[in-house]
Amino acid sequence: MSLVVKLNTGSTIDEGRLAKGGDKLTEDYTMECAVCTVSPEDFAALGRPEKVSVSTKEGKRRVSVYAREDGSVPPGQVFMPRAIWANVVVDPETFSTGSPLYKGSPVLIEPSEEEVLSAAEISKMMLRRG
């Protein structure tokens, strides 16, 4: 089962605390930021997975993250903290504004058995892709 949803990203209190504290390479940062928060309806439709793969609709960029259910997220939308995991799938086009679209980008989500990579591993992966 897979769903096409709108990706919204943004800062969270703990993401900001960890990032500003220089803790981007810690397990705490991974557990806070390598997350996709899904509505209860969409989470049930996906089979309540522990992890999901989030990819661009055309499948060019993809990342596996932990799945979380949260009733504050509307069906058809997901939320990811604005960190390196979300940056993998956020369209880099800025439309001359200097800032990519961190809200409302269409993505495909589906259950995943893949390992959730650390921030350091994601960085290495992105460098290899060039």
Side-chain angles (χ1 to χ4, degrees), residues 43-58:
F43 193 66
L46 291 169
R48 302 188 174 290
E50 177 187 345
K51 298 179 274 188
V52 291
S53 172
V54 181
S55 63
T56 56
K57 279 182 53 178
E58 72 283 346

Side-chain angles (χ1 to χ4, degrees), residues 68-85:
R68 283 193 192 148
E69 176 182 13
D70 189 319
S72 69
V73 176
Q77 297 184 31
V78 296
F79 175 82
M80 291 178 70
R82 194 167 60 200
I84 194 165
W85 295 270

Side-chain angles (χ1 to χ4, degrees), residues 15-24:
E15 174 270 326
R17 177 183 57 80
L18 291 161
K20 302 293 188 251
D23 293 324
K24 286 186 175 184

Side-chain angles (χ1 to χ4, degrees), residues 91-107:
D91 188 343
E93 175 60 54
T94 67
F95 304 100
S96 299
T97 66
S99 184
L101 296 175
Y102 289 113
K103 308 276 191 263
S105 298
V107 294

Side-chain angles (χ1 to χ4, degrees), residues 9-37:
T9 69
S11 297
T12 67
I13 291 171
D14 284 332
E15 174 270 326
R17 177 183 57 80
L18 291 161
K20 302 293 188 251
D23 293 324
K24 286 186 175 184
L25 300 179
T26 66
E27 181 69 16
D28 286 345
Y29 190 73
T30 299
M31 296 308 294
E32 175 64 25
C33 298
V35 171
C36 180
T37 306

